[in-house]
Amino acid sequence: MSPRGVAIPDLRERLFAAAERVVARDGAAALTSRAVTEEADCGKGVLHTHFAGLDEFVAELVLDRFARSAREAEQLDGRVGRGGVADNLRDVVLTLLDSLPPGVVGLAMTRPVAALRTREGFRSGAPAFDAIQHSFTAYLRAEQRLGRLAPGADAATIALALVGTVHHLLMTRPQGGSGEGGSAEARDTTERLLSALLGPHTPPTP
């Protein structure tokens, strides 16, 4: 599923970012086509010119942010053998939380048609939590081959636990964004989980 005829390369992201700001500031109920275009400083009809309607727009926003998060998780591949395993995983988890604003994650739930379109996108192969879990698992197995993760560690289960934690933190984080308090709590929760899953921190490779 893709928006119809978005001609300006950055228009899609401009509208998406505007929608995120509206939801973070005023809540999901305040999200209307007019609110988005006013926030984006665009013409009033721009959203409906390029999307079939607000439901398609919301679905595309959710799918885009999950795809962005999946790309962030893929960055773990470049960290194999570098830094500490727990540190690398923690950094990516916290980055994922920033990539998936809580208001956006829950947005489609308030609009049944948007939720249906989002599910259709996932069924069609759009990346979601399963893609993030795959990146975690691949990273852990690569570190295991290098001897930086215990041979008996269950990489797939560790990855599942991390993805479950990301989901939990997203669903319980305040709607207003990722302030210092929320970030500190997320960091503490992630570090405690990693300590339980991995044991003592693996020292960084010199």
Side-chain angles (χ1 to χ4, degrees):
M1 178 172 56
S2 60
R4 301 178 301 170
V6 177
I8 305 172
D10 65 347
L11 177 60
R12 175 184 170 96
E13 176 57 30
R14 184 174 170 183
L15 292 170
F16 287 167
E20 289 178 328
R21 294 193 297 272
V22 170
V23 172
R25 184 181 64 236
D26 304 321
L31 190 74
T32 63
S33 300
R34 176 169 296 207
V36 172
T37 53
E38 287 182 351
E39 182 71 26
D41 194 24
C42 295
K44 294 180 181 179
V46 166
L47 188 148
H48 286 281
T49 298
H50 298 295
F51 296 87
L54 189 59
D55 285 315
E56 180 180 278
F57 173 78
V58 168
E60 288 289 339
L61 168 58
V62 174
L63 292 171
D64 180 87
R65 286 344 191 200
F66 269 101
R68 182 175 68 180
S69 296
R71 291 193 296 272
E72 293 288 352
E74 289 173 357
Q75 300 305 308
L76 277 168
D77 184 61
R79 297 192 180 202
V80 174
R82 300 166 50 200
V85 174
D87 293 335
N88 290 339
L89 290 167
R90 179 204 61 219
D91 290 349
V92 170
V93 166
L94 296 178
T95 299
L96 289 176
L97 293 175
D98 287 337
S99 297
L100 285 167
V104 170
V105 174
L107 187 59
M109 299 179 186
T110 68
R111 306 183 66 89
V113 175
L116 176 61
R117 288 178 177 271
T118 302
R119 289 195 296 271
E120 289 173 348
F122 289 146
R123 284 197 295 267
S124 297
F129 282 117
D130 55 344
I132 297 170
Q133 183 178 337
H134 174 79
S135 292
F136 281 145
T137 302
Y139 167 74
L140 287 162
R141 287 176 175 162
E143 294 286 25
Q144 206 165 30
R145 289 192 291 271
L146 293 178
R148 285 166 33 95
L149 182 65
D154 187 336
T157 299
I158 294 171
L160 177 61
L162 286 170
V163 168
T165 298
V166 170
H167 183 271
H168 169 75
L169 291 171
L170 286 169
M171 294 296 103
T172 58
R173 191 169 59 174
Q175 289 280 321
S178 54
E180 290 184 7
S183 296
E185 183 178 355
R187 175 180 290 270
D188 180 65
T189 298
T190 303
E191 288 183 345
R192 286 189 286 109
L193 176 65
L194 286 168
S195 179
L197 292 172
L198 304 179
H201 283 245
T202 304
T205 300

